[in-house]
Amino acid sequence: MTKPQPAQTAIDEQELQDMVAASDTGARIPDGWQGRILLGAALIWSLFQLWIASPLPFYDWPLVGSFGIFNDTETRAIHLAFAVFLAFSAYPALTHSPRHYIPVHDIALSLLAAFSASYIFIFYEDLASRPGLPNTQDLIVSVIGIVLLLESARRTLGPPLMIVAIVFLTYSLAGPYMPEIIAHKGVSVAELMNHQWLTTEGVFGIALGVSTGFVFLFVLFGALLDKAGAGNYFIQVAFSLLGHMRGGPAKAAVVSSGLTGLISGSSIANVVTTGTFTIPMMKRVGFSSEKAGAVEVASSVNGQIMPPVMGAAAFLMVEYVGISYFQVITHAFVPALISYIALVYIVHLEALKQDMQGLPRRGVVKPWHLRLIGILTGFLLTAGMAIVVYYGIGWMKPAFGTWASPVIAVILTVVYLFLVRYAASVPDLKLDDPNAPMTQLPEVGPTVKSGLHYLLPVVVLVWCLMVERLSPGLSAFWATVLMIVILVTQRPLIAFFRGESDLGGRLRQGFNELIDGLITGARNMIGIGIATATAGIIVGAVSQTGVGSVLADLVELLSMGNLLLMLMLTAVLSLILGMGLPTTANYIVVSSLLAPVVVTLGQENGLIVPLIAVHLFVFYFGIMADVTPPVGLASFAAAAVSGGDPIRTGFQAFSYSLRTAALPFLFIFNTDLLLIDVSFIEGIQVFVVATIAMLVFTAATQGYFFDRSRWYESAFLLLLAFSLFRPGFWMDRIVPPHQALSAAEFVEASDNFTQGTEVRMWLEGEDDVGNARRFMAILPMGEGSNGNERLASTGIELLENDGRMIVDYVGFDSIAEKAGLSFDQVLTSVEVPQSQPPKQLIYIPVLALLIGLALMQRRRRQQSLAASSTASAS
């Protein structure tokens, strides 16, 4: 493939917008009345979602009282009706289909699809009166609805998800004719349609509910924030802070893409939005087309694992794992953050390899110590303000009672006005043409000042989620309300503070941007709404056919019972299933199919894995499909901007993403990385050590530490990184953490175990479908004055019979039942904890060896530089 010359690398902005539209918002933009209907439907969808998320329907209005209240099933049906209507209206059927008008057949399909989706809303009472007994009309509508949903998935997301859904529908119907290992009794067409379309087990299940209740508002919030100018602000701030460093534009690309990823649910939109500016700047300082595109891909895709949104997967995890949203983002935060830090380090190493320089700064450059003092001062001021806000609002609530909310709203308004006045004192930010001759970087101070008010809605969102512990939907609603106020008022206020005259025109501009933001948010949601509904088909098939246990048997057979091989196989399956799927659908599919497999097989291999760790494992590998050729859509988008080869860009991005691929294996075996059962101080220690370990791993995979590494040095760095990530691995071999006892010895020694002691019990029994299995259960000892009483208080009774220890009784809802014990299981052996030195002692020799290698490479680099300077002088 012939590479374009630098003069040819400028990408037409309209082409990029079309690329994003084709992927995220629909490539069809009709003219005339059709266009007005399309945009009007999107606007009404956004207003509907804001209405159901707000407290307004429950307000006692004069004359009419409360109205517009819908239950969960009804809102899901309306949500999907809007999604499929817009899918057929905004997405052409084929590449040569018309783009500037909607053909008659697409109008008919959009109306029919919307009716089929809203069927359970329109006939809700009739369907509720005859559950499980669909009539002919129900079945006809269900078949039409499934077919049109699959077609809308093909239009909006491409063939992969549609094909996967068809495979599972076929599997549901053809169960008796399948190979023995995956065969099941099968279901009739009526049973299938009822389960998939007329209940909340399939299409209208949890996934669509999360899309309706949470995801839409977060996507809308991101669209409004971007429409206000926050995306431009993030890019400019990142460049002003980092652009002067070695490979500075690439480092700025990582940070700006990470910040944009916080508010974006789309990898490809993130690549195109920030990449249009960052990729040419990276090429300017020495990155090749492929490497510039790969850095942008790696950082944009990583935005999908970054709390608080995580490509909408965070809200699905709340429902699937059964823990709070606060816990989900707490567990996900450290791996995502150290992954981004490692990506910045990768860019730094690439810059060192090629001796790249940064871009020149604008204005007077302060000495480094003054810059450091400024950073520390800013950090202390921010921390001080956070403390004042936290304790100030905490004091206001009891002090003002019911008036607390109005008082806080007034204070928020004052802060907003102050920040807008602050922004009005500096010129508006404008992105330079990235293909123009090299310019100086924007100044840090004015750049940061120009958009501080954009952070207010983010602060409100985080406050509602993390401090007030409101639901994600209600938190996003209040943040969106503030964002609407900012969109409408920021331009007239800035004009007022600058003494400009056309305030009415600026106000109209603000309203127009608000309408555009509401429409864009809805159009961004089309694919996500369709994806969650289509993925519901797969979830419904799993629950109706029991394919989950079949898949567990298949993976166990292929992995031959080896735990590490099983995890690798699960990772590969997650990659395959994730190919071509958006983040949300991708997570639903892989978590429904593979998360139970990891839990079951881990338990049988003596590894009790927290469910959140398993879900994050499959989620990480699912989103890697956005990077990996041949389907890596984000890599193709970046190559279109950079002018590089898309396949080479994809492979380079995958090499940069190896750190992301390593993390899931690490937190499966070391759940400290997910901050599970660790204190605050321990959490800081985990973060520091894990960051060092990830940087060492990155240096090993990039073949450069303080100098170019020899192969054995890279291997040694990998070993050191592993030791920092899993110090317990080596300590367990020095002093085993558990002592093995036979079942009889355990009963005799139970007096020595105090309350709360966790014993690991190896049991033989049957699974839910009657297959023999051997697994491990963790049983915490209960209350009591002796061992027998503590064992009995867990709800278990053991009986010795013919030399075997049998579980003779398990109390209902007891500790033992929750641990997985049941009647007639055979207790074969028990592992009890024994004292062990702190595993952190392993850090001492590891860090000593790491420092030694660093000194050796640094000396070698100095010798090399000295030799080069001598040669050039002679």
Side-chain angles (χ1 to χ4, degrees):
M1 177 178 177
T2 304
K3 291 185 180 180
Q5 297 302 313
Q8 299 173 310
T9 57
I11 301 298
D12 181 71
E13 185 176 349
Q14 187 59 45
E15 291 179 11
L16 291 175
Q17 291 176 354
D18 290 344
M19 183 190 302
V20 177
S23 173
D24 291 325
T25 62
R28 180 183 284 150
I29 305 176
D31 300 321
W33 65 270
Q34 289 185 335
R36 289 192 291 273
I37 289 177
L38 176 60
L39 299 180
L43 177 62
I44 293 170
W45 191 13
S46 287
L47 295 175
F48 168 76
Q49 293 289 157
L50 286 170
W51 173 262
I52 62 173
S54 73
L56 294 178
F58 304 96
Y59 182 71
D60 188 14
W61 296 92
L63 301 178
V64 295
S66 59
F67 71 97
I69 300 174
F70 306 98
N71 63 35
D72 288 345
T73 304
E74 291 173 326
T75 55
R76 293 174 191 182
I78 297 170
H79 180 85
L80 183 58
F82 274 112
V84 292
F85 176 83
L86 290 170
F88 284 101
S89 303
Y91 287 83
L94 302 168
T95 54
H96 58 268
S97 298
R99 296 292 195 270
H100 298 290
Y101 70 93
I102 306 175
V104 174
H105 61 271
D106 275 354
I107 295 174
L109 290 175
S110 64
L111 293 173
L112 186 58
F115 170 75
S116 301
S118 58
Y119 185 77
I120 61 174
F121 165 68
I122 298 170
F123 296 97
Y124 183 79
E125 293 184 3
D126 290 343
L127 292 169
S129 66
R130 43 184 171 80
L133 299 172
N135 59 28
T136 304
Q137 175 182 293
D138 298 338
L139 295 177
I140 292 173
V141 171
S142 300
V143 170
I144 293 172
I146 290 281
V147 171
L148 292 180
L149 177 61
L150 293 173
E151 167 60 11
S152 64
R154 184 194 67 80
R155 292 191 182 201
T156 56
L157 308 167
L161 184 58
M162 179 196 71
I163 293 171
V164 173
I166 290 173
V167 167
F168 276 87
L169 289 172
T170 304
Y171 176 75
S172 298
L173 293 170
Y177 310 104
M178 292 288 168
E180 184 177 354
I181 191 171
I182 60 171
H184 64 95
K185 67 177 183 179
V187 297
S188 66
V189 173
E191 291 171 332
L192 178 66
M193 291 300 107
N194 178 69
H195 186 82
Q196 293 284 7
W197 199 259
L198 301 177
T199 71
T200 55
E201 296 294 324
V203 170
F204 297 95
I206 290 175
L208 188 61
V210 171
S211 176
T212 305
F214 306 148
V215 179
F216 191 103
L217 289 172
F218 277 86
V219 171
L220 178 61
F221 174 72
L224 294 175
L225 196 58
D226 186 61
K227 189 64 67 175
N232 177 20
Y233 175 70
F234 291 154
I235 294 174
Q236 292 279 28
V237 168
F239 268 83
S240 68
L241 292 173
L242 302 172
H244 66 285
M245 299 179 177
R246 283 182 177 270
K251 292 174 182 174
V254 173
V255 174
S256 59
S257 294
L259 292 171
T260 305
L262 297 178
I263 60 173
S264 171
S266 167
S267 301
I268 186 171
N270 200 348
V271 167
V272 172
T273 302
T274 59
T276 305
F277 184 69
T278 59
I279 288 175
M281 298 286 274
M282 282 189 268
K283 292 170 66 177
R284 184 178 298 165
V285 295
F287 280 85
S288 67
S289 297
E290 286 75 20
K291 286 187 176 181
V295 169
E296 182 60 46
V297 170
S299 53
S300 295
V301 172
N302 259 76
Q304 306 298 290
I305 67 173
M306 195 71 183
V309 178
M310 296 168 61
F315 314 115
L316 290 161
M317 286 181 191
V318 170
E319 301 296 329
Y320 288 160
V321 181
I323 60 178
S324 70
Y325 174 80
F326 178 79
Q327 289 174 299
V328 169
I329 59 176
T330 299
H331 297 322
F333 180 70
V334 168
L337 184 58
I338 64 176
S339 182
Y340 260 111
I341 292 172
L343 185 55
V344 173
Y345 186 54
I346 286 175
V347 169
H348 181 69
L349 293 178
E350 289 284 2
L352 286 176
K353 288 178 189 177
Q354 302 180 47
D355 195 26
M356 297 178 190
Q357 302 302 318
L359 297 176
R361 276 185 157 178
R362 183 175 297 165
V364 178
V365 180
K366 296 179 181 179
W368 68 269
H369 60 280
L370 292 180
R371 295 202 302 271
L372 181 61
I373 291 172
I375 293 170
L376 291 175
T377 303
F379 174 77
L380 291 174
L381 286 174
T382 303
M385 289 175 62
I387 292 171
V388 169
V389 169
Y390 181 80
Y391 288 102
I393 293 180
W395 167 79
M396 286 180 194
K397 287 176 142 184
F400 292 99
T402 56
W403 288 93
S405 294
V407 170
I408 292 171
V410 170
I411 294 173
L412 193 62
T413 302
V414 172
V415 172
Y416 168 60
L417 291 174
F418 172 76
L419 292 178
V420 172
R421 174 70 183 85
Y422 201 46
S425 64
V426 297
D428 293 333
L429 289 181
K430 291 184 180 178
L431 286 176
D432 296 327
D433 180 0
N435 296 288
M438 184 180 294
T439 59
Q440 291 180 314
L441 293 169
E443 292 185 64
V444 176
T447 303
V448 173
K449 287 180 185 178
S450 65
L452 287 174
H453 58 287
Y454 295 136
L455 302 181
L456 277 180
V458 179
V459 170
V460 168
L461 175 64
V462 174
W463 178 271
C464 292
L465 287 170
M466 308 289 285
V467 180
E468 297 294 335
R469 302 291 179 92
L470 300 180
S471 70
L474 193 56
S475 301
F477 169 76
W478 289 119
T480 303
V481 168
L482 179 56
M483 195 63 245
I484 289 172
V485 172
I486 290 175
L487 250 179
V488 173
T489 61
Q490 66 169 345
R491 295 192 184 280
L493 283 173
I494 289 174
F496 171 77
F497 287 127
R498 289 176 178 170
E500 298 174 0
S501 58
D502 188 18
L503 300 183
R506 294 301 182 94
L507 186 62
R508 286 192 298 274
Q509 183 182 359
F511 272 109
N512 290 335
E513 288 176 343
L514 171 61
I515 299 300
D516 287 346
L518 292 172
I519 292 171
T520 301
R523 294 191 68 161
N524 287 341
M525 268 302 299
I526 299 172
I528 297 176
I530 297 297
T532 51
T534 310
I537 293 175
I538 298 159
V539 177
V542 170
S543 65
Q544 192 172 26
T545 64
V547 69
S549 60
V550 171
L551 192 63
D553 292 340
L554 185 61
V555 172
E556 184 176 25
L557 177 67
L558 294 174
S559 63
M560 298 172 289
N562 183 283
L563 183 60
L564 189 58
L565 188 59
M566 178 267 293
L567 288 172
M568 292 176 67
L569 186 61
T570 303
V572 172
L573 286 173
S574 299
L575 271 173
I576 294 171
L577 289 171
M579 284 185 179
L581 302 187
T583 304
T584 313
N586 164 342
Y587 167 69
I588 297 168
V589 173
V590 296
S591 64
S592 301
L593 293 175
L594 298 176
V597 174
V598 178
V599 172
T600 302
L601 299 184
Q603 195 177 23
E604 292 178 359
N605 284 270
L607 180 68
I608 303 298
V609 186
L611 195 56
I612 182 63
V614 177
H615 278 254
L616 285 171
F617 181 91
V618 297
F619 173 59
Y620 269 52
F621 278 103
I623 63 169
M624 287 290 287
D626 274 350
V627 178
T628 314
V631 186
L633 299 178
S635 299
F636 280 86
V641 179
S642 70
D645 179 89
I647 300 298
R648 289 175 60 189
T649 300
F651 279 114
Q652 186 67 54
F654 181 76
S655 75
Y656 289 161
S657 301
L658 284 175
R659 74 209 186 284
T660 309
L663 276 170
F665 287 96
L666 296 168
F667 58 60
I668 283 286
F669 291 100
N670 181 10
T671 56
D672 288 354
L673 283 171
L674 301 180
L675 303 182
I676 295 176
D677 297 329
V678 297
S679 65
F680 179 75
I681 300 299
E682 289 172 335
I684 294 175
Q685 175 249 309
V686 166
F687 170 70
V688 172
V689 174
T691 302
I692 295 171
M694 183 53 72
L695 297 182
V696 173
F697 175 83
T698 300
T701 56
Q702 295 302 306
Y704 198 103
F705 192 27
F706 283 82
D707 193 18
R708 292 190 184 276
S709 299
R710 299 179 174 123
W711 70 267
Y712 54 85
E713 291 175 332
S714 293
F716 189 56
L717 285 171
L718 285 175
L719 180 63
L720 294 180
F722 171 78
S723 302
L724 289 171
F725 273 123
R726 279 209 65 200
F729 178 84
W730 302 113
M731 187 59 73
D732 290 351
R733 274 138 190 82
I734 298 171
V735 180
H738 295 91
Q739 177 187 0
L741 300 175
S742 67
E745 290 173 332
F746 164 66
V747 175
E748 293 174 4
S750 58
D751 285 343
N752 301 324
F753 308 139
T754 59
Q755 179 183 347
T757 300
E758 292 187 340
V759 296
R760 299 155 64 102
M761 310 181 80
W762 283 97
L763 299 147
E764 292 178 352
E766 296 181 346
D767 61 16
D768 295 338
V769 294
N771 296 322
R773 66 184 291 236
R774 182 177 184 271
F775 68 100
M776 186 188 72
I778 295 181
L779 182 70
M781 299 296 287
E783 300 177 350
S785 58
N786 56 55
N788 287 331
E789 290 182 4
R790 294 189 195 105
L791 197 59
S793 67
T794 66
I796 184 177
E797 291 182 8
L798 300 175
L799 175 67
E800 187 172 359
N801 185 10
D802 294 334
R804 300 193 307 166
M805 195 67 68
I806 298 174
V807 179
D808 189 49
Y809 172 79
V810 176
F812 174 73
D813 201 33
S814 63
I815 297 173
E817 186 183 59
K818 292 175 181 176
L821 281 76
S822 62
F823 294 92
D824 296 331
Q825 291 173 342
V826 177
L827 179 63
T828 57
S829 63
V830 177
E831 296 175 3
V832 297
Q834 62 179 0
S835 60
Q836 186 186 47
K839 61 184 179 182
Q840 288 80 4
L841 291 175
I842 298 295
Y843 294 150
I844 298 173
V846 171
L847 291 174
L849 291 170
L850 183 62
I851 293 170
L853 179 60
L855 292 174
M856 185 176 70
Q857 285 205 1
R858 188 177 180 185
R859 188 184 311 115
R860 189 168 72 219
R861 178 170 175 78
Q862 289 172 344
Q863 291 171 351
S864 175
L865 291 174
S868 299
S869 60
T870 303
S872 61
S874 60

